[in-house]
Amino acid sequence: MRTAQGYHTPPMPWGMNAGELDKVRTAHPAIAEVGRGAAPRGRGLYYGALAPLLRRLPVVRSVRPTMTAIARFA
């Protein structure tokens, strides 16, 4: 992304999917536990019915791109 004044934002390689939680667990020795935060049920057909059902499938659960990781420090 570039602004009109010429500023270019730096790369932000912090995104991860649900299958990469092991990276968080081993990233710092003070991290005691890492879990997944459950997203609330949304509106509409996809977010209200289909997405909650898909979250229960192990294959979909590990590759979905958006997730909330919750870390507990020791």
Side-chain angles (χ1 to χ4, degrees):
M1 183 170 97
R2 194 176 290 273
T3 65
Q5 292 80 18
Y7 177 75
H8 188 269
T9 57
M12 299 178 201
W14 47 265
M16 63 187 308
N17 63 27
E20 297 175 310
L21 280 179
D22 287 335
K23 288 182 182 180
V24 177
R25 287 184 184 104
T26 60
H28 196 278
I31 296 177
E33 181 183 354
V34 176
R36 294 182 187 156
R41 178 172 245 141
R43 295 185 192 175
L45 179 62
Y46 179 76
Y47 291 107
L50 189 59
L53 290 175
L54 289 175
R55 273 189 237 126
R56 295 181 181 164
L57 298 173
V59 174
V60 176
R61 194 171 38 217
S62 65
V63 296
R64 62 190 168 106
T66 57
M67 62 163 288
T68 302
I70 299 172
R72 186 176 62 84
F73 292 88

